[in-house]
């Protein structure tokens, strides 16, 4: 399939394509305010969760201030967060300042204006909460890189095996019930893959059995509850706000669930923990970090990414499905199988994955504190941020910037084919630009390339098996839901 058969939607001016916003932009004061102490953060919290919702919350303030950079409060606010004040960056040009660890500090900002109790992590500040300037950050992230590198030959065969079981279950449910809820099956598959990858063992043969996804879900919910709403009827808004957003949930309620996960990983990762000790990391600290990597970063990321990928590809319809079938099957035949070389030649498949990561990034928020006084440029103006101020980025607005992407709200499968590859530097899902690589000196996701690889393999397996499919899409407190309603088996491969 020729990349020249597609045109690449883009609205960039030449100065933006070069990644160098104009230096003669007018310096303006940052608009917006935080309201009265205590009451201002609560008002913004109620707007964010209940009166307006996330996207409308930001859009109305962009319109009010005529700026994509402004001051506001971010949840949870009182009494979980002691300081809710942020400077919001909601365009593709200003957003990347959050990746520059020479200018912003990433200390304890993973979840924004509050940090969950370290009791969720065995009493340790795990790597995700460390700033790269802290010595432990390089040791821990280096360990992550080493683990992934030592297992690279398992990525494709192991994931294909897990996907085979997944699609058999989906197919059986569609045949028996007329539909199959993807999220639950995908979660089980994702946990199975992650545990097998790190522990070289089937979780069913360990103490946690089939309970892994449920245990991780409970652990994730308790940490992230201050940032979500359950979508309950309005009559329950006050009670939900009080229970989830006003006081931290007690950690002891999830202690036993986490202990089961920790024990299972600890018992199955002897060689990894030996390596950690050789790197100067205590065994228990390494294990708590690896449980976080496996549960929050890997499983948690897949929990939102895979349903979003299936949702957007499913909604795109038969035309895109035919194009993907053609590309995938042609290249797999020519290459003699599903290999890294074959995957690299699938330009449309790669573009579809990037487009899913662009339109619905698995982690929507980024935070960082200014290390010094600095100037941030948007498309239209420059703004001075003072040392110590919290900077916040809402990624779905940055990666759907209408001054960068044509039809930004539309899922365009071929967006990153051919000349469209130049737009990849505006895809920010991994806490960095897609064109950049994670290192021990930055906070970019250590499994960035693995996530993209697995997403491509999922599409390849899907379209080797089926010509097309239909889904029903929905929304969840964290991400999207997808339910298969039909599958058309491939007549030939």
């Amino acid at each position: 399939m020729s990349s020249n058969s597609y045109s690449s939607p883009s609205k960039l001016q030449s100065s933006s394509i070069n990644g160098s916003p104009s230096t003669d932009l007018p310096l303006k004061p940052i608009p917006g305010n935080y309201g009265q102490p205590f009451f201002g953060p609560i008002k913004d919290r109620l707007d964010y969760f209940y009166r307006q919702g996330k996207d409308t919350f930001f859009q109305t303030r962009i319109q009010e201030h005529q700026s994509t950079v402004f001051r506001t409060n971010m949840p949870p606010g009182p009494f979980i967060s002691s300081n809710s004040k942020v400077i919001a960056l909601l365009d593709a040009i200003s957003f990347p300042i959050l990746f520059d660890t020479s200018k912003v500090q990433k200390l304890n900002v993973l979840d924004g204006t509050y940090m969950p109790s370290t009791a969720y992590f065995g009493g340790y500040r795990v790597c995700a909460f460390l700033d790269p300037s802290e010595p432990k950050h390089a040791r821990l992230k280096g360990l992550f890189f080493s683990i992934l590198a030592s297992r690279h030959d398992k990525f494709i065969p192991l994931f294909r095996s897990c996907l085979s079981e997944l699609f058999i279950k989906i197919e059986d449910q569609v045949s028996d019930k007329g539909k199959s809820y993807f999220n639950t099956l995908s979660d089980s598959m994702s946990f199975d893959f992650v545990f097998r990858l790190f522990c070289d063992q089937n979780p069913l043969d360990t103490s946690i059995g089939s309970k892994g996804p449920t245990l991780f879900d409970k652990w994730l919910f308790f940490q992230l509850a201050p940032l979500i709403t359950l979508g309950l009827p309005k009559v329950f808004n006050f009670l939900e706000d009080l229970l989830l957003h006003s006081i931290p949930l007690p950690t002891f309620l999830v202690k036993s669930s986490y202990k089961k996960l920790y024990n299972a990983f600890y018992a199955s990762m002897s060689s990894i923990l030996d390596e950690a000790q050789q790197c100067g990391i205590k065994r228990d600290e390494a294990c708590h970090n690896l449980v976080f990597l496996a549960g929050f970063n890997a499983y948690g990321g897949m929990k939102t990414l895979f349903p979003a990928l299936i949702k957007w590809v499913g909604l795109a319809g038969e035309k895109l499905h035919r194009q993907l079938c053609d590309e995938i099957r042609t290249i797999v035949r020519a290459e003699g199988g599903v290999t890294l070389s074959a995957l690299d030649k699938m330009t449309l498949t790669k573009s579809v994955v990037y487009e899913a990561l662009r339109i619905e990034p698995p982690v929507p928020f980024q935070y960082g504190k200014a290390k010094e006084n600095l100037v941030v440029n948007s498309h239209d103006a420059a703004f001075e941020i003072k040392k110590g101020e919290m900077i916040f980025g809402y990624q779905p607005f940055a990666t759907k910037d209408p001054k960068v992407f044509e039809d930004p709200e539309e899922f365009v499968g071929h967006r990153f084919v051919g000349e469209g590859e130049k737009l990849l530097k505006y895809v920010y899902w991994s806490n960095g630009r897609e064109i950049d690589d994670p290192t021990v000196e930055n906070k970019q996701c250590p499994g960035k390339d693995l996530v993209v690889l697995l997403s491509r393999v999922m599409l390849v397996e899907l379209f080797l098996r089926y010509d097309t499919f239909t889904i029903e899409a929905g929304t969840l407190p964290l991400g999207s839901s997808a339910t298969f309603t039909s599958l058309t088996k491939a007549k030939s491969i």
Side-chain angles (χ1 to χ4, degrees):
M1 183 174 294
S2 170
S3 63
N4 295 328
S5 62
Y6 302 111
S7 60
S8 301
S10 170
K11 293 183 67 175
L12 291 173
Q13 303 301 314
S14 60
S15 61
S16 295
I17 290 176
N18 294 331
S20 304
S22 173
T23 56
D24 58 0
L25 292 170
L27 184 65
K28 295 183 178 180
I30 301 173
N33 63 80
Y34 303 116
Q36 295 295 318
F38 184 78
F39 296 105
I42 290 180
K43 175 187 177 299
D44 283 347
R45 183 173 78 203
L46 295 176
D47 285 346
Y48 178 88
F49 285 122
Y50 306 114
R51 295 172 183 153
Q52 297 174 324
K54 285 197 297 286
D55 286 5
T56 303
F57 176 87
F58 295 120
Q59 192 61 54
T60 55
R61 283 155 179 76
I62 290 174
Q63 293 170 353
E64 177 186 354
H65 303 306
Q66 290 297 295
S67 174
T68 53
V69 178
F70 54 83
R71 298 182 184 276
T72 189
N73 296 289
M74 278 300 292
F79 296 94
I80 296 176
S81 171
S82 61
N83 187 349
S84 303
K85 299 175 181 179
V86 304
I87 296 168
L89 310 180
L90 303 180
D91 62 78
I93 300 301
S94 62
F95 192 93
I97 192 69
L98 288 160
F99 308 145
D100 189 344
T101 54
S102 70
K103 295 180 179 177
V104 298
Q105 185 185 62
K106 291 289 190 172
L107 182 72
N108 298 338
V109 298
L110 177 70
D111 295 319
T113 59
Y114 80 105
M115 179 182 169
S117 168
T118 56
Y120 289 116
F121 324 119
Y124 289 101
R125 288 174 56 240
V126 291
C127 186
F129 293 97
L130 301 179
D131 186 79
S133 64
E134 298 179 80
K136 279 187 180 180
H137 182 274
R139 289 202 298 272
L140 288 166
K141 198 168 182 181
L143 176 65
F144 301 159
F145 286 141
S146 176
I147 293 169
L148 292 173
S150 68
R151 284 157 170 74
H152 75 278
D153 59 338
K154 296 176 61 175
F155 295 159
I156 293 177
L158 177 59
F159 194 56
R160 291 191 73 196
S161 174
C162 293
L163 285 173
S164 179
E165 296 176 18
L166 170 70
F167 286 125
I168 289 171
K169 292 176 182 177
I170 291 172
E171 196 172 317
D172 288 344
Q173 289 186 3
V174 171
S175 176
D176 294 342
K177 303 176 183 177
K179 61 182 180 180
S180 175
Y181 184 60
F182 177 74
N183 292 58
T184 301
L185 296 176
S186 177
D187 287 352
S188 295
M189 180 276 298
S190 298
F191 180 83
D192 188 45
F193 170 77
V194 170
F195 195 88
R196 287 170 182 254
L197 182 66
F198 283 105
C199 300
D200 294 313
Q201 195 172 1
N202 188 329
L204 295 177
D205 298 330
T206 71
S207 58
I208 55 176
S210 61
K211 297 178 182 178
T214 302
L215 296 174
F216 263 143
D217 286 347
K218 183 178 179 181
W219 177 70
L220 289 168
F221 173 78
F222 271 65
Q223 294 174 61
L224 299 176
L227 302 179
I228 65 175
T229 177
L230 302 177
L232 301 174
K234 288 184 179 181
V235 67
F236 296 110
N237 285 357
F238 174 78
L239 181 61
E240 180 191 82
D241 191 59
L242 178 65
L243 294 178
L244 297 189
H245 311 141
S246 302
I247 52 176
L249 294 176
T251 59
F252 73 85
L253 293 176
V254 76
K255 183 176 181 179
S256 64
S257 296
Y258 180 75
K259 188 66 174 176
K260 291 174 184 176
L261 289 163
Y262 176 85
N263 288 341
F265 277 89
Y266 191 92
S268 305
M269 291 195 302
S270 295
S271 61
I272 292 177
L273 299 180
D274 290 343
E275 181 181 350
Q277 275 192 302
Q278 294 171 5
C279 296
I281 306 168
K282 292 184 292 184
R283 292 180 78 87
D284 69 324
E285 183 176 10
C287 190
H288 286 298
N289 271 274
L290 290 166
V291 172
F292 189 92
L293 179 70
F296 195 102
N297 298 117
Y299 170 79
M302 294 175 188
K303 185 179 182 67
T304 56
L305 171 60
F306 291 155
L309 177 64
I310 294 298
K311 179 190 82 171
W312 288 107
V313 173
L315 294 176
E318 286 193 48
K319 181 179 178 182
L320 178 63
H321 297 175
R322 286 195 300 270
Q323 293 170 339
L324 286 167
C325 285
D326 179 49
E327 176 181 84
I328 289 167
R329 296 172 190 178
T330 299
I331 293 175
V332 168
R333 279 196 299 267
E335 293 290 317
V338 180
T339 62
L340 284 172
S341 174
L343 292 167
D344 194 52
K345 293 176 181 177
M346 298 177 185
T347 55
L348 178 60
T349 304
K350 288 194 286 186
S351 177
V352 167
V353 169
Y354 291 136
E355 178 69 346
L357 290 165
R358 178 198 72 84
I359 201 167
E360 191 172 337
V363 180
F365 311 116
Q366 296 291 344
Y367 287 86
K369 278 190 177 180
K371 287 184 174 181
E372 58 191 32
N373 293 345
L374 51 88
V375 174
V376 172
N377 292 337
S378 68
H379 291 286
D380 311 308
F383 304 91
E384 185 176 7
I385 297 175
K386 301 293 186 182
K387 179 180 179 180
E389 291 192 292
M390 180 72 88
I391 308 170
F392 158 77
Y394 184 51
Q395 193 173 150
F397 273 41
T399 55
K400 291 188 283 189
D401 187 333
K403 293 187 178 181
V404 171
F405 295 104
E406 185 176 334
D407 298 322
E409 300 290 338
E410 299 295 321
F411 183 86
V412 181
H414 61 270
R415 190 183 297 275
F416 299 103
V417 172
E419 286 295 305
E421 285 189 273
K422 293 179 180 178
L423 293 171
L424 285 175
K425 68 180 179 180
Y426 298 104
V427 177
Y428 301 143
W429 71 272
S430 63
N431 199 9
R433 299 177 187 268
E434 186 57 36
I435 60 173
D436 295 336
D437 295 317
T439 69
V440 295
E441 288 86 23
N442 64 28
K443 294 298 290 184
Q444 193 164 20
C445 173
K448 163 185 171 270
D449 293 336
L450 176 59
V451 170
V452 174
L453 174 68
L454 298 181
S455 299
R456 293 175 188 170
V457 174
M458 176 170 279
L459 291 183
V460 168
E461 284 297 305
L462 180 61
F463 287 107
L464 285 176
R465 292 168 177 268
Y466 309 106
D467 289 335
T468 188
F469 65 96
T470 58
I471 59 105
E472 292 175 352
T475 57
L476 298 171
L478 291 173
S480 294
S481 68
T483 300
F484 282 89
T485 54
S486 71
L487 291 162
T488 302
K489 282 190 176 182
K491 297 178 178 63
S492 63
I493 298 178

